Amino acid sequence: MSPGWPGNASVSPRKSWRKCLGRGKSGHLCPCDPAPDKLKIIVPGVALGDEAVRQIPGPSTQEMGANTSQVSDLSENQSLHTLIGTESISENDPFWNQLISFTFISPTNSGDSKLLEEAVIPLAKILIENNPRTGNFGALCVKPNKQLIQLFIWQAHNALFMIRCLLKVFIREMTEEELHLQFSYQERAPGTYAGSEDLLEELMCNLVHLVVEVPLLDITYSILFEAVTTMLVLLSYQLFHKDILRDGLIYQYLMKGRCLSLTSRLVKTLLYNFIRQEKCPPPATHIFEQHSEGGGLFYGLASGVASGLWSVFTLGGAGSKPGLDQEQNPLPLSNQSLLLLLVLANLTDGPNGCPNPYRQAVTCFKNTQDTSSIPTEQHHTFQINFNSLYTALCDQQRSDQATLLLYTLLHQNTNMRTYMLSRTDMENLVMPILEILYHVEDRNSHHVYMALIILLILTEDDTFNRSIHEVVLKNITWYSERSLTEISLGSLLILVVIRTIQFNMTRTRDKYLHTNCLAALANMSAQFRCLHQYAAQRIISLFALLSKKHNKVLEQATQSLRGTQGGDDSSVLPDYAQDLNVIEEVIRMMLEIINSCLSNSLHHNPNLVYALLYKRELFEQFRTHPSFQDIMQNLDTVRPRDT
């Protein structure tokens, strides 16, 4: 029996996919079963008889639309002009087989991807005008005559690729209601299909089924990427609306439609795609020719929508500056799966308090190794390998979307947070976060904030605060201010956070960033142990910098006050008063951090005591200050005055 399209009542999709792709009874790939070199899957869009299917050749040297070799040739391609023209095309017409029998050489950089998109726009606009009469776009997207159509996987990929390119333009040019009409058949030729089903919902459900049912192999990589990216394109309507979309068609399909039953499987599959970090397969097994530069067609063409959607969930900010490794060694399916997961999890709750099922799935999944878990009544829950997920999170913190996933899990998934905090190798997770903060000038503000909030969440746990001082690190290569041949993870964390504060004081001057950095230090202060000499010096140096800034602002305020005596202009005085209040608040927090350390672990921190004694003159001016007298009294008990 040929594998059926997922969801077909007459065929068991799970069984047929396993049989076709070498899966065992457990659903895992069987190492003894070789992966097939050819794979037939079902995709809406082409009507072919059994004989025609058997005669479909493998990928040849044909290009998009059967004869196009360059992007510039798209506007002259006869097959594409037939598709977008004024004539309806029968579902059984051999034209469909010709249309999707191409091997398009992928663009190798964003410039080429933009050229491709620009070439598609005028074609798509013509299709927008003609399709309501011809229904050709719907014919490309549905299962004609309600039958399951078998294609080779490369042709199925090509069909999805064309659908995605056209949808990207459609969504930019029309509303969801107008898009819905593009999927409707009108004035079809005699003998052709004229169904009343919702073809847009059918497409969305088929995409979800494809993602969750098709295993990730070299020969399925490209079509899985297309399915994930097409879903991102469909969800990109939010980019063109200031208000949150709660009543949109796409939103309703995912929240209430047939896709709802596959929520947990979709989230689990997207997580595993992220965990596996599969690279583009080599040219021998790849649908398209792969070039050495960039991510080629897969990453480049999708990056516009994906990056735009990502900006929605980073408050409109740009993404991280792409690193050299990310450009030369892309992980397109992993990256797109993570973006889709984050978009789904951050969809707003429905009306009448209906919770987002995808967020529920992200926040309640459990560890496959946890056999002691008590069954709960939570919806959309599933199990996943926490060790594999933890490893992937540690390896992928270069991107802000991976950092957002880590933040989401730490903040909302209690099972994952408990697991992370119980790990004995927390340095594998903390070090990438510290490196983000250390290179603050190269990161966007949203990435820095997320990294900082992650530290804040971690430092709320006393066990974490104790354990990081027991982990000894050697030769921290990325820390360039000073050679650190041996230092504890806790001391390194203090150094990086203090450096972030100093950077903020001289550059961004963001009070929120100051507050969170100091809050993380305050959380840790009672557990400071054996602080490195350099870390102790930097704590006192930060206090000295704050003291100097306090004196400077105070002097400016005094001079300004003298200059305005006898005059009426006193508008500048409130600004100085506000600056003084902010600086004094930060100084008080620093004194409380030092006080907490000395009160709870004085004998464990001789380097801090020595640094305090060496710079004791810094504290003289604050001893009589009304805002700091109570704290200074305790410091005096361990830091005697000059004798």
Side-chain angles (χ1 to χ4, degrees), residues 297-368:
L297 173 72
F298 296 126
Y299 189 79
L301 199 62
S303 61
V305 168
S307 298
L309 280 170
W310 170 238
S311 70
V312 171
F313 297 105
T314 55
L315 307 179
S320 295
K321 297 178 182 178
L324 191 61
D325 292 340
Q326 189 175 0
E327 291 180 349
Q328 294 183 349
N329 186 24
L331 302 166
L333 179 59
S334 172
N335 183 63
Q336 296 300 92
S337 296
L338 177 55
L339 288 169
L340 178 58
L341 176 64
L342 292 171
V343 170
L344 291 172
N346 284 281
L347 290 175
T348 183
D349 290 336
N352 303 320
C354 180
N356 177 352
Y358 303 95
R359 186 184 301 125
Q360 285 184 313
V362 168
T363 58
C364 68
F365 64 78
K366 301 177 181 179
N367 191 1
T368 54

Side-chain angles (χ1 to χ4, degrees), residues 51 132-133 279 327 391 431 438 461 471 492 503 523 551:
E51 185 63 29
R133 294 185 299 274
K279 300 178 182 179
E327 291 180 349
T391 302
M431 287 290 283
Y438 184 80
D461 184 78
V471 178
L492 181 63
F503 177 86
N523 288 344
N551 293 339

Side-chain angles (χ1 to χ4, degrees), residues 57 66 83 94 138 164 172 188 225 230 232 243 247 270 340 357 443 449-450 510 512 541 558:
L83 174 68
R164 193 241 299 176
R172 184 185 305 165
R188 299 292 293 163
F225 173 86
T230 304
L232 271 171
D243 298 329
D247 301 321
L270 295 175
L340 178 58
R443 305 288 180 178
Y449 275 127
M450 285 187 294
D510 186 338
Y512 180 75
S541 296
T558 302

Side-chain angles (χ1 to χ4, degrees), residues 200-489:
L200 181 56
E201 182 178 16
E202 186 75 12
L203 174 63
M204 178 62 82
C205 290
N206 288 342
L207 291 172
V208 173
H209 273 290
L210 195 153
V211 171
V212 302
E213 294 287 353
V214 177
L216 177 54
L217 303 171
D218 281 352
I219 57 174
T220 62
Y221 190 101
S222 57
I223 194 168
L224 288 172
F225 173 86
E226 282 302 324
V228 170
T229 307
T230 304
M231 291 181 67
L232 271 171
V233 171
L234 287 169
L235 284 163
S236 66
Y237 263 113
Q238 183 65 71
L239 293 174
F240 307 100
H241 294 80
K242 293 182 180 180
D243 298 329
I244 297 176
L245 297 180
R246 289 186 174 88
D247 301 321
L249 292 172
I250 306 298
Y251 181 91
Q252 296 297 326
Y253 295 153
L254 290 169
M255 294 294 188
K256 298 180 180 179
R258 289 180 289 157
C259 301
L260 183 61
S261 62
L262 295 172
T263 295
S264 59
R265 293 183 62 191
L266 178 59
V267 171
K268 183 176 182 178
T269 301
L270 295 175
L271 274 174
Y272 268 125
N273 287 347
F274 168 71
I275 289 171
R276 291 182 63 174
Q277 298 293 314
E278 293 286 349
K279 300 178 182 179
C280 285
T285 56
H286 206 273
I287 290 292
F288 292 129
E289 178 181 349
Q290 180 68 26
H291 294 268
S292 59
E293 290 185 27
L297 173 72
F298 296 126
Y299 189 79
L301 199 62
S303 61
V305 168
S307 298
L309 280 170
W310 170 238
S311 70
V312 171
F313 297 105
T314 55
L315 307 179
S320 295
K321 297 178 182 178
L324 191 61
D325 292 340
Q326 189 175 0
E327 291 180 349
Q328 294 183 349
N329 186 24
L331 302 166
L333 179 59
S334 172
N335 183 63
Q336 296 300 92
S337 296
L338 177 55
L339 288 169
L340 178 58
L341 176 64
L342 292 171
V343 170
L344 291 172
N346 284 281
L347 290 175
T348 183
D349 290 336
N352 303 320
C354 180
N356 177 352
Y358 303 95
R359 186 184 301 125
Q360 285 184 313
V362 168
T363 58
C364 68
F365 64 78
K366 301 177 181 179
N367 191 1
T368 54
Q369 306 300 319
D370 187 4
T371 57
S372 61
S373 298
I374 301 176
T376 64
E377 297 181 357
Q378 291 174 315
H379 298 290
H380 311 297
T381 188
F382 60 91
Q383 289 185 311
I384 199 168
N385 190 311
F386 277 15
N387 181 63
S388 299
L389 179 56
Y390 177 82
T391 302
L393 288 169
C394 293
D395 292 341
Q396 297 300 316
Q397 289 307 306
R398 292 183 301 275
S399 68
D400 43 3
Q401 54 263 37
T403 305
L404 178 58
L405 176 63
L406 174 59
Y407 161 75
T408 301
L409 296 178
L410 276 173
H411 179 55
Q412 300 186 31
N413 191 312
T414 56
N415 300 318
M416 192 67 192
R417 180 171 66 249
T418 301
Y419 175 83
M420 290 183 185
L421 291 171
S422 69
R423 296 281 301 204
T424 58
D425 59 347
M426 278 298 292
E427 66 273 14
N428 292 336
L429 182 65
V430 175
M431 287 290 283
I433 299 300
L434 295 183
E435 195 168 354
I436 293 170
L437 293 175
Y438 184 80
H439 297 293
V440 59
E441 62 275 5
D442 297 326
R443 305 288 180 178
N444 68 73
S445 59
H446 307 302
H447 200 179
V448 172
Y449 275 127
M450 285 187 294
L452 186 56
I453 297 302
I454 287 170
L455 286 185
L456 197 57
I457 294 173
L458 293 174
T459 56
E460 290 175 348
D461 184 78
D462 288 340
T463 302
F464 170 84
N465 293 332
R466 286 192 297 268
S467 63
I468 57 176
H469 292 285
E470 299 170 359
V471 178
V472 178
L473 307 170
K474 295 183 178 181
N475 300 319
I476 312 302
T477 56
W478 48 263
Y479 195 94
S480 59
E481 274 82 357
R482 175 169 172 166
S483 176
L484 300 176
T485 56
E486 187 172 298
I487 189 173
S488 70
L489 179 60

Side-chain angles (χ1 to χ4, degrees), residues 43-63:
V43 71
V46 183
L48 298 172
D50 292 340
E51 185 63 29
V53 170
R54 289 194 293 270
Q55 294 177 357
I56 294 177
S60 65
T61 57
Q62 291 177 306
E63 276 75 29

Side-chain angles (χ1 to χ4, degrees), residues 44-88:
V46 183
L48 298 172
D50 292 340
E51 185 63 29
V53 170
R54 289 194 293 270
Q55 294 177 357
I56 294 177
S60 65
T61 57
Q62 291 177 306
E63 276 75 29
M64 178 177 284
N67 294 307
T68 300
S69 59
Q70 296 180 3
V71 171
S72 58
D73 296 335
L74 288 180
S75 60
E76 306 298 329
N77 183 269
Q78 187 58 45
S79 295
L80 292 179
H81 276 283
T82 302
L83 174 68
I84 67 177
T86 58
E87 298 294 329
S88 296

